[in-house]
Amino acid sequence: MLESLSRLLLIAVILSVAVPARADEAAAWAALREGGKILLMRHATTNPGVGDPPGFRLDDCSTQRVLSGAGRDQAKSIGAALRQNGMKAGRILTSAWCRCVDTAELMDLGPVEVFEPLNSFFGQSAEAERQTESVRKLIADWKGPGTLVLVTHQVNVTALTDIFPSSGEMVIMDPNGRFIGRISANFR
């Protein structure tokens, strides 16, 4: 009897977590089809590590932590899913880091532009506030048409939303900065 109750409780807990996540994701997809929203994304999966090697240079991808083969495939799959679900990109901005630029380009949603405030400020807290405010202003000024796609880093997404995203995860917001939903990169 106790074992049956334990199983039921476990099932209830799993469902209580899974159902809101699916509803949240459904709302996010619907908002992207509608347009005029913001898609804030952490770059796709990289080779293992945190941050970049000492002495890395933005103008030399061989000095940075870059997308893994799985991350390259993930970025292509994300772009395909966005197109299949009717999202139209109005503008695509990215951090200058190669893993972000490559993610944005591999999604194949349109022309990609580097936007310095999306650059990582990992380990550089003095830059965090200035960059975050610049991105907030960009978001607030977005009128469309289409979706504003921003490809950046975990620290940047977390500073803007208090969400710690997985690689390739997308956070959907409106121009007022209101959270609409999240889309996992594991939607296959």
Side-chain angles (χ1 to χ4, degrees), residues 32 34-37 88-92 142-149:
L32 289 176
E34 182 181 298
K37 304 300 185 284
K88 303 283 187 239
R91 191 170 182 201
I92 304 157
W142 183 249
K143 305 290 183 248
T147 296
L148 175 61
V149 177

Side-chain angles (χ1 to χ4, degrees), residues 70-162:
R72 296 179 74 74
D73 291 343
Q74 182 184 51
K76 291 175 190 175
S77 294
I78 290 167
L82 290 168
R83 287 187 303 278
Q84 289 167 359
N85 279 280
M87 190 212 73
K88 303 283 187 239
R91 191 170 182 201
I92 304 157
L93 302 177
T94 181
S95 159
W97 267 248
C98 295
R99 57 187 170 264
C100 292
V101 172
D102 290 348
T103 297
E105 289 178 348
L106 289 166
M107 289 192 314
D108 194 26
L109 299 172
V112 173
E113 306 168 57
V114 169
F115 182 63
E116 180 271 334
L118 293 172
N119 287 354
S120 176
F121 46 76
F122 181 76
Q124 300 174 20
S125 59
E127 295 299 311
E129 188 174 329
R130 178 189 64 79
Q131 288 180 229
T132 301
E133 286 310 310
S134 292
V135 175
R136 280 195 179 113
K137 181 175 179 352
L138 174 77
I139 289 169
D141 290 344
W142 183 249
K143 305 290 183 248
T147 296
L148 175 61
V149 177
L150 305 174
V151 181
T152 188
H153 307 266
Q154 173 271 310
V155 293
N156 302 67
V157 175
T158 302
L160 288 160
T161 66
D162 291 328

